[in-house]
């Protein structure tokens, strides 16, 4: 099969028995990332998603709503489509199994198999649950109870049509053995192989008598029956190519490169669908990837528990890109994950706001202030620049392709954020705000700023598939108009495409920090989550934001304070620190967020200080101050502070404590 220059990716088609939830969003976002990525790589992509509108579940949901099943589907379908729009899903087609064209294709395939005598009529006897309206096998119904609803089951016989699935057992085992990537991840492949090699594969009932279920596609050879919903639904992957795209799409895109599915529907894909394709003489897909399931706060997600995560609420609270990022960053694709709102907030703040967002804002601020808003031409390059270039290009040309070719989204994101971190460390180390002070450092300053901006250009290419809107914002703010619809990753990326002289457009911040548990978050998951700290624990500045420091504060209090021994005083580690960056904490009049250095070879520290009424952030950059270095970290307005700044004053700051002479950051003060 030649799948070299096209890429066909599918999601399951979702039952329209209810509104979309996080599970639906998860697969669809993952498929979108692959679709976008392969378009950048120059492949002709066809990305299909849609709805499974027949069968018992949908009929029941419609009955419950008191409307006709078609009207029910027509009411719910736009909700899925609207969500995909909000999540920036770039599907090329949207299939609904009630489409008349899909009906005729399913009937054509059934007829073909019937002619080939691969479908036969037989008696079916099984244990039937009237409430769930489904059959169970002998081993399912321990104690004569339905394993699902625990109601008594009855033995029932009915005529049905069967597809001779069992005869393909050996061929399927062989196919799985010969194609290591056919079922992924490997643990799931082993599971499927395990049961295929130890149990006899039976034939598949592909009909339901209309007397029991009428909402489905009528069998072309017996009008008293409708098609079993899975036979109808699986055909969507091929039928869409016949009527939702221009010919010769079927020849061009079949077999699919990747069917993404949840682990619960792997058997229907790996076994039912594969044997159906064999019977129809069609090639098998390249990969069926089964991802894990999300629980919510450690519990199974269900309507009755009231903990269903609504993707629309997540987009409202965090934005589409942050939600997309979290879904794929938090859990290795293929494993189960637990959705905890607090973890989402932490990711947004640490990875997005402090990581990528901060890199963009400090780069643009410095270019604006020191280069009149134009990207400077780089001067002499040293080891620090060479390392940064090497890490960035390796990410785009080697690491990202490796991970995305194998659907390892979380590793791809981890690798991107390693480069974000490397770039932020490069900035901390080269300290461009200090270089800006000396004319003799002007050449080096230009070099540093150019490398920051060019790294960001590369990061926009790397992040685009995951966070398309943010990547476009980065490109725009850098003054570029990268055409993400063109195959920009078709060839290896080279360093230096960002032209010196480009005028930047600094705009609003890329990812605003989430200061506390967002309003309305409770409705996202009704299960109570531990309260998030919204106010600061101990005050962190010598002259703190209100209230006054508590008695347990290590800050020496006014003269009336109790005396302490020298040993007690010596427990307090005071050190000099150099201010690397300073910015205002949004919505706070007095708080500034500082990054300070305690000397070479140490990680910069973040300190939140209540000195914003006295000082403009810029005025502090490069200053050597004194901090309490061994103070237990605490949060102020949700932001971690790893130390405390010493300043003179009481309720009002009068002046920062500094050192008369120039001393290295990290020097002990006593
Ligand atoms: N209609 C069938 C699929 C037919 S494909 C030819 C179906 N639909 S579904 O709406 O019930 O489920 C669709 C997908 O949602 C499945 O892949 C399932 O694994 C996924 N999820 C449902 N709940 C989920 C979680 N809690 N977490 C992650 N995915 C989950 O099955």
């Amino acid at each position: 099969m030649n799948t070299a220059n096209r890429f066909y990716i599918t999601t399951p088609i979702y039952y329209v028995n209810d509104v979309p939830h996080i599970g639906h969003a998860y697969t669809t976002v993952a498929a979108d990332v692959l679709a976008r990525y392969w378009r950048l790589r120059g492949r002709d992509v066809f990305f299909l998603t849609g709805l499974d509108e027949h069968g018992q579940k949908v009929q029941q949901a419609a009955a419950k709503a008191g409307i006709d099943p078609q009207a029910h589907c027509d009411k719910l379908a736009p909700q899925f489509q609207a969500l995909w729009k909000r999540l920036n899903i770039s599907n090329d087609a949207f299939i609904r199994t009630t489409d008349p064209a899909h009906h005729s294709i399913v009937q054509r395939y059934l007829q073909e198999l019937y002619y080939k005598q691969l479908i036969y009529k037989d008696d079916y006897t099984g244990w039937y649950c009237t409430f769930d309206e489904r059959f169970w096998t002998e081993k399912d119904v321990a104690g004569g109870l339905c394993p699902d609803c625990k109601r008594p089951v009855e033995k029932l016989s009915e005529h049905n049509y069967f597809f001779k699935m069992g005869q393909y057992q050996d061929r399927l085992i062989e196919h799985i053995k010969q194609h290591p990537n056919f079922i992924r991840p490997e643990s799931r492949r082993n599971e499927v192989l395990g049961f295929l090699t130890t149990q006899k594969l039976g034939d598949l009932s592909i009909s339901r008598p209309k007397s029991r279920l009428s909402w489905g596609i009528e069998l072309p050879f017996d009008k008293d029956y409708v098609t079993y919903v899975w036979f109808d639904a699986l055909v969507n992957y091929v039928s869409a190519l016949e009527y939702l795209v221009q010919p010769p799409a079927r020849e061009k895109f079949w077999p699919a490169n990747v069917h993404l599915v949840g682990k619960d529907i792997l058997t229907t894909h790996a076994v039912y669908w594969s044997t159906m394709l064999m019977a129809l003489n069609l090639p098998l897909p390249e990969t069926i990837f089964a991802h894990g399931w999300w629980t919510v706060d450690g519990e199974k997600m269900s309507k009755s528990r009231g903990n269903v995560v609504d993707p629309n609420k997540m987009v409202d609270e965090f934005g589409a890109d942050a939600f997309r990022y979290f879904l794929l960053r938090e859990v290795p694709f293929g494993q189960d994950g637990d959705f905890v709102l607090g973890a989402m907030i932490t990711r947004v703040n640490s990875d997005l706001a402090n990581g990528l967002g901060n890199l963009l804002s400090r780069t643009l601020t410095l270019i604006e202030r020191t280069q009149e808003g134009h990207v400077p031409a780089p001067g002499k390059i040293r080891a620090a620049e060479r390392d940064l270039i090497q890490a960035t290009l390796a990410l785009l040309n080697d690491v990202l392709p490796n991970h995305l070719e194998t659907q390892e989204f979380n590793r791809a994101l981890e690798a991107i954020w390693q480069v974000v971190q490397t770039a932020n460390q490069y900035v901390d180390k080269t300290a461009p705000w200090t270089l800006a002070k000396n004319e003799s450092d002007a050449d080096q300053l230009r070099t540093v700023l150019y490398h920051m901006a060019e790294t960001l250009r590369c990061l926009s290419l790397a992040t685009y598939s995951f966070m398309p809107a943010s990547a476009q914002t980065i490109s725009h703010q850098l003054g570029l108009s990268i055409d993400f619809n063109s195959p920009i990753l078709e060839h290896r990326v080279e360093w230096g495409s960002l032209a010196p002289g480009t005028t930047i457009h600094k705009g609003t911040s890329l990812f605003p920090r989430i200061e506390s548990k967002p309003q309305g978050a409770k409705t996202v998951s009704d299960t109570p989550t531990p309260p998030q700290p919204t106010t600061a624990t101990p005050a962190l500045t010598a002259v703190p934001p209100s209230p006054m420091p508590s008695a347990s504060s290590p800050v020496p209090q006014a003269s009336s304070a109790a005396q302490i021994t020298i040993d007690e005083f010596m427990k307090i580690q005071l050190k000099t620190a150099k201010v690397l960056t300073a910015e205002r904490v949004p919505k706070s009049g007095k708080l500034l967020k500082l990054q300070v250095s305690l000397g070479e070879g140490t990680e910069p520290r973040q300190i939140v200080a209540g000195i914003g009424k006295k000082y403009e952030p810029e005025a502090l950059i490069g200053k050597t101050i004194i901090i309490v270095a061994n103070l237990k970290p605490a949060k102020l307005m949700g932001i971690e502070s790893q130390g405390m700044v010493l300043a003179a004053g009481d309720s009002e700051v009068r002046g920062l404590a500094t050192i008369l002479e120039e001393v290295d950051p990290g020097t002990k003060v006593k």
Side-chain angles (χ1 to χ4, degrees):
M1 73 182 94
N2 175 22
T3 55
N5 44 31
R6 52 80 165 175
F7 187 76
Y8 179 23
I9 171 95
T10 69
T11 72
I13 48 172
Y14 306 114
Y15 284 130
V16 278
N17 52 341
D18 212 338
V19 293
H21 58 61
I22 186 175
H24 305 126
Y26 187 41
T27 333
T28 312
V29 165
D32 186 62
V33 171
L34 292 179
R36 288 179 185 274
Y37 175 72
W38 283 108
R39 288 190 198 108
L40 291 185
R41 288 281 297 273
R43 296 255 189 121
D44 197 350
V45 169
F46 186 62
F47 169 17
L48 177 69
T49 188
L51 298 176
D52 191 352
E53 303 193 338
H54 291 130
Q56 203 143 270
K57 289 189 183 191
V58 177
Q59 184 172 291
Q60 272 170 353
K64 206 169 153 200
I67 49 173
D68 149 79
Q70 187 65 57
H72 169 80
C73 296
D74 293 346
K75 200 173 133 206
L76 278 177
Q79 301 204 34
F80 281 84
Q81 285 168 304
L83 174 64
W84 300 155
K85 219 169 171 179
R86 293 195 76 197
L87 278 171
N88 236 326
I89 303 298
S90 63
N91 54 304
D92 297 292
F94 189 83
I95 190 167
R96 296 180 56 183
T97 53
T98 50
D99 292 344
H102 173 76
H103 272 221
S104 5
I105 295 166
V106 170
Q107 288 179 329
R108 200 179 77 212
Y109 283 148
L110 285 165
Q111 194 69 63
E112 184 182 330
L113 297 185
Y114 192 63
Y115 278 143
K116 286 180 173 169
Q117 298 187 348
L118 290 169
I119 287 177
Y120 62 95
K121 193 173 185 183
D122 202 358
D123 263 353
Y124 180 78
T125 305
W127 292 98
Y128 189 70
C129 170
T130 322
F131 181 79
D132 281 341
E133 297 188 44
R134 62 161 292 181
F135 278 99
W136 297 99
T137 61
E138 186 78 41
K139 67 172 174 11
D140 293 328
V141 292
L145 296 182
C146 167
D148 191 38
C149 70
K150 313 292 180 219
R151 290 177 171 84
V153 288
E154 54 177 329
K155 200 159 208 174
L156 207 82
S157 276
E158 71 181 25
H159 284 308
N160 258 316
Y161 286 87
F162 289 83
F163 160 53
K164 292 185 181 170
M165 183 163 76
Q167 73 179 50
Y168 297 97
Q169 183 162 11
D170 292 342
R171 209 173 130 191
L172 181 57
I173 293 173
E174 206 38 43
H175 185 87
I176 300 173
K177 286 188 173 162
Q178 295 297 322
H179 298 84
N181 285 332
F182 178 55
I183 298 173
R184 298 199 59 237
E186 204 182 338
S187 53
R188 299 277 170 215
R189 171 178 184 258
N190 295 338
E191 261 172 43
V192 176
L193 261 184
F195 92 73
L196 278 176
T197 48
T198 52
Q199 291 172 35
K200 190 170 160 7
L201 185 62
D203 289 343
L204 179 69
S205 162
I206 50 97
S207 65
R208 296 293 179 263
K210 277 193 187 166
S211 53
R212 189 151 72 73
L213 173 73
S214 58
W215 184 234
I217 301 177
E218 192 175 283
L219 289 188
F221 40 80
D222 193 334
K223 62 178 180 28
D224 291 335
Y225 290 84
V226 293
T227 311
Y228 171 44
V229 68
W230 271 101
F231 189 100
D232 159 1
L234 288 162
V235 167
N236 94 86
Y237 298 132
V238 176
S239 71
L241 297 179
E242 289 196 23
Y243 73 94
L244 290 176
V245 223
Q246 290 300 315
R250 170 69 194 278
E251 290 68 27
K252 180 168 172 192
F253 289 112
W254 192 258
N257 297 71
V258 183
H259 286 321
L260 288 185
V261 299
K263 64 179 182 181
D264 55 317
I265 57 171
L266 176 60
T267 311
T268 47
H269 282 79
V271 181
Y272 298 4
W273 181 224
S274 301
T275 53
M276 282 164 66
L277 287 166
M278 286 174 180
L280 292 165
N281 278 328
L282 288 169
L284 267 50
E286 212 167 79
T287 295
I288 301 171
F289 194 108
H291 64 69
W293 267 43
W294 286 95
T295 48
V296 179
D297 297 324
E299 291 203 49
K300 194 170 182 271
M301 187 173 75
S302 74
K303 245 185 142 174
S304 54
R305 283 194 176 89
N307 64 351
V308 176
V309 178
D310 175 355
N312 276 302
K313 292 220 168 86
M314 300 318 290
V315 177
D316 291 343
E317 302 286 359
F318 302 103
D321 278 359
F323 184 48
R324 288 170 65 112
Y325 174 80
F326 178 78
L327 287 177
L328 296 176
R329 174 68 182 79
E330 192 68 1
V331 179
F333 204 57
Q335 291 178 24
D336 292 336
D338 190 33
F339 186 88
V340 179
L341 204 59
M344 164 107 200
I345 295 173
T346 306
R347 284 264 170 228
V348 171
N349 285 348
S350 66
D351 300 6
L352 303 184
N354 283 1
L356 184 57
N358 186 33
L359 181 64
L360 180 68
S361 90
R362 64 210 299 212
T363 303
L364 298 178
T365 303
L366 283 159
I367 292 180
E368 202 173 61
R369 294 215 182 131
T370 67
Q371 311 293 320
E372 291 172 348
H374 303 298
V375 174
K380 196 167 147 254
I381 288 178
R382 298 144 311 144
E385 283 77 36
R386 273 192 289 276
D387 289 349
L388 182 63
I389 296 171
Q390 198 268 336
T392 309
L393 293 184
L395 170 74
L396 282 169
N397 296 326
D398 305 309
V399 182
L400 214 50
N402 277 344
H403 294 322
L404 288 180
E405 281 164 22
T406 48
Q407 299 89 33
E408 292 176 299
F409 302 102
N410 75 313
R411 297 188 68 186
L413 286 170
E414 236 170 70
I416 298 174
W417 258 260
Q418 254 160 32
V419 171
V420 170
Q421 198 191 7
T422 304
N424 270 323
Q425 283 168 352
Y426 166 80
V427 180
D428 295 339
K429 252 193 347 225
T430 51
W433 41 87
T434 312
L435 298 175
K437 288 188 180 152
N438 284 321
E439 196 40 49
S440 58
D441 291 329
D443 183 68
Q444 204 195 335
L445 175 65
R446 285 192 290 269
T447 304
V448 170
L449 294 181
Y450 182 83
H451 284 76
M452 288 163 70
E454 175 64 353
T455 303
L456 277 161
R457 180 189 72 87
C458 293
L459 284 171
S460 76
L461 306 184
T463 50
Y464 171 75
S465 317
F466 294 93
M467 306 194 294
S470 308
Q472 270 153 337
T473 304
I474 297 175
S475 154
H476 173 76
Q477 294 200 0
L478 285 174
L480 300 172
S481 46
I482 299 174
D483 180 6
F484 289 100
N485 290 319
S486 67
I488 36 188
L489 296 183
E490 194 175 13
H491 304 291
R492 288 179 77 81
V493 174
E494 308 263 353
W495 186 263
S497 292
L498 176 58
T502 304
T503 309
I504 59 156
H505 306 296
K506 187 170 176 347
T508 51
S509 85
L510 194 56
F511 302 106
R513 284 184 63 91
I514 318 266
E515 292 306 335
S516 60
K517 194 172 171 190
Q519 284 251 316
K522 204 171 153 293
T523 52
V524 169
S525 149
D526 290 342
T527 313
T529 47
Q532 303 283 316
T534 50
T535 49
T537 23
L540 290 170
T541 56
V543 183
S546 55
M548 290 289 284
S550 65
S552 61
S553 164
V555 182
Q557 297 288 292
S559 53
S560 61
Q563 288 186 333
I564 57 167
T565 63
I566 185 77
D567 287 349
E568 279 171 322
F569 176 71
M570 291 310 275
K571 282 190 196 154
I572 303 171
Q573 262 185 33
L574 299 176
K575 285 191 174 176
T576 58
K578 193 162 196 156
V579 180
L580 302 175
T581 64
E583 61 186 82
R584 290 197 174 276
V585 169
K587 299 192 195 122
S588 164
K590 8 171 122 162
L591 292 186
L592 296 187
K593 188 175 83 179
L594 314 178
Q595 300 285 340
V596 300
S597 165
L598 290 184
E600 263 184 43
T602 61
E603 285 280 305
R605 285 213 197 182
Q606 176 167 293
I607 297 186
V608 181
I611 51 177
K613 283 201 174 149
K614 173 79 180 165
Y615 296 101
E616 283 305 319
E618 301 77 40
L620 298 173
I621 295 174
K623 288 263 185 318
T624 299
I625 56 172
I626 302 175
I627 66 160
V628 181
N630 61 341
L631 192 63
K632 208 163 156 196
K635 281 190 175 173
L636 270 181
M637 288 186 78
I639 307 176
E640 184 167 284
S641 183
Q642 305 154 333
M644 183 171 71
V645 168
L646 292 194
D650 196 348
S651 57
E652 224 173 73
V653 173
R654 311 277 284 278
L656 271 174
T658 54
I659 301 284
L660 272 181
E661 319 299 332
E662 266 297 303
V663 293
D664 288 338
T667 307
K668 204 167 162 188
V669 179
K670 30 179 206 175

